[in-house]
Amino acid sequence: MNQRWRLVLLWALPIVIGLFLLWQVVLRGGPAQVVNAPTVAPRNSAVARMTYGRFLDYVDAGRVTAVDIFDGGRSAVVEAVDPDLDNRVQRLRVDMPGVAPELINRLKEQGISFDIHPPRTAPPALGLLGNLLFPLLLIGSLVFLARRSSSMPGGPGQAMQFGKSKARFLMEAETGVCFADVAGVEEAKEDLQEVVTFLKQPERFTAVGATIPRGVLLVGPPGTGKTLLAKAIAGEAGVPFFSLSGSEFVEMFVGVGASRVRDLFKRAKENAPCLIFIDEIDAVGRQRGAGIGGGNDEREQTLNQLLTEMDGFEGNNGIIILAATNRPDVLDSALMRPGRFDRQVTVDAPDIKGRLAILEVHSRNKTLAEGVSLEAIARRTPGFTGADLANLLNEAAILTARRRKPATTLAEIDDAVDRVIAGMEGTPLTDGRSKRLIAYHEVGHALIGTLVREHDPVQKVTLIPRGQAQGLTWFAPDEEQMLVSRAQLRARIMGALGGRAAEAIVFGHAEVTTGAAGDIQQVAGLARQMVTRFGMSELGPISLEAGNQEVFLGRDLMTRSDVSESIATRIDEAVRSIVDRCYADTLQLLENQRPCMDRLVELLIEQESIDGDAFRSVVAEFTEVPEKERFRPLLPANG
């Protein structure tokens, strides 16, 4: 008898016994007993009641004419003469203590006609069937549930298999994805190609003393293709493949996670060589022994079992573990050491070549117009991941279908980029004063971006609301630029302050609005980083703050200050000094170009959108536009 049937019997036997006893108590003496025909004396009929004492008085007074006794003497129907009703005969029901010999003698002495009606009995076979029917039905239902749980994963009997691994197992993973379908992550593909070669041709490496890596950790932002790479490895390797999520180890019952880890590796050893893919491993692999109370004991037990299985005393030859996470900083150090995860493969956001390759993959089933250049789209989408690019082309295709066009054009691509980055397009403003105020705000941003040499060029200015912004100014940064100079940071601060400065110049300081709230937050962040992280202030080249001090379970409960109170005061003064100087320069620059700003606002109100080339041509009519390198990529600016 296997474990499942033992559990079924262990649960079913007490339930069957208890319900059977309850059945017997309820029906004690009753399954074979039936009340006489209701035409004679129904128990619940509308017959008047009489107490037993009054019945005896009526018998002694000679008022009772007939008595019918039922239920073994427990009840009777009496015909008696009631003097209060003009001596009419009335049928009354009496609850009796039983058939006593004294009562029979008194009835005989008074000459009263009486009859005792014995209960009718059912056949013995029917009584036995009534006693056994319910237990048989209960046992049959339990057997049915047990069979269903063994044939259907996730059925009611699944509770008896908590300790079993929930990993999806494929003897030969037919994911439909191979390395040719993964683009934009060539370095990661090269590292992972060696894993496939290890599985297919291990002799190439063992001949020179190399050993197969125990684990490979895929690290990168969301949407960069970590899970897609795991599918590609499974499709290329042609070996048994187990896949599951890190959260599937953890349950509310103690010890279940560790049991599932043991079961997973037991099945993997039986099918070695094989691959195990654990997605979002940070759900179970977070640092141990931190936070209030030392952390989650059940999760730590699961992690301890995983560490033991990955590099324990027995070892797991032929088993390669792939894991993916976008939070490597929270993983336990014991999980990250060589021997467990020997390799960390970074899957980062693609560059322009990678984006072009990704667009070529996702555009295979899209109908694009002849004038659409994938290279132009790749240049306009710096920072986009593979998932972002797939979503971009899908949004463009949806817009194409909505506009009833046969193919996707650049207009749909432009609108899709705007929608993905800034949100859905809203209804244009009709209020003249609000529209003019927002126009000056956006033109202030764009004019500073055009006149300051170190600022990124303007791509587009629009008054069409998107998301929470009532207007937007788009800049075109250099995607290949990894380092940012002090002059560029200062130019970005001036560009962010351009909207507030334009409001103050045109409408006065008393009429500035809350529209610059996001700009001011951006300015404060940039200025503080210049002082505390980049050493770009009079405090000198000193790092005064740690890079990342997020508070979460697994790290320090509270953040710590790395500076004294006096230094903190000097930091605040340096930040304020940078912002004040930049704001003064922004005000001076916009005041000198007030006619140009007024002309641009009139055009923007009339057209609602101005592209970068048209904007610069108007500015060139009033002043000299500084030469700067032209970049095509598109990113939104502060609105």
Side-chain angles (χ1 to χ4, degrees), residues 341-362:
F341 283 111
D342 301 283
R343 291 187 177 185
Q344 293 187 32
V345 178
T346 301
V347 187
D348 215 338
D351 56 10
I352 182 172
K353 294 181 180 179
R355 293 197 300 274
L356 178 58
I358 293 172
L359 289 170
E360 291 175 351
V361 171
H362 290 294

Side-chain angles (χ1 to χ4, degrees), residues 286-339:
R286 284 177 175 251
Q287 294 179 3
R288 296 169 291 176
I292 301 176
N296 186 314
D297 290 339
E298 169 60 14
R299 181 183 56 78
E300 290 189 3
Q301 289 181 20
T302 306
L303 176 58
N304 291 337
Q305 187 64 44
L306 180 62
L307 296 175
T308 303
E309 294 290 347
M310 289 186 66
D311 188 24
F313 188 76
E314 297 179 359
N316 296 308
N317 295 327
I319 301 177
I320 298 180
I321 302 175
L322 299 175
T325 181
N326 52 25
R327 293 296 306 275
D329 55 314
V330 305
L331 295 180
D332 193 87
S333 57
L335 190 66
M336 304 288 287
R337 73 164 177 82

Side-chain angles (χ1 to χ4, degrees), residues 120 208 211 218 275 314 341 344 366 399 410 542 545 603:
R120 291 198 299 265
V208 295
T211 59
L218 303 177
L275 284 168
E314 297 179 359
F341 283 111
Q344 293 187 32
K366 303 291 190 301
L399 290 174
L410 283 176
I542 303 175
E545 287 184 3
L603 288 176

Side-chain angles (χ1 to χ4, degrees), residues 88-148:
R88 288 185 299 180
V89 177
Q90 185 179 10
R91 291 172 60 88
L92 303 170
R93 195 175 77 178
V94 181
D95 294 330
M96 302 176 61
V99 180
E102 294 82 2
L103 176 61
I104 300 299
N105 293 332
R106 293 175 70 171
L107 294 177
K108 289 180 180 181
E109 291 175 358
Q110 296 292 334
I112 299 173
S113 174
F114 67 90
D115 192 5
I116 299 176
H117 300 272
R120 291 198 299 265
T121 59
L126 185 60
L128 180 63
L129 181 61
N131 288 331
L132 296 180
L133 180 61
F134 183 75
L136 290 176
L137 288 176
L138 179 62
I139 294 176
S141 300
L142 292 174
V143 171
F144 171 75
L145 291 177
R147 289 178 179 271
R148 185 183 178 191

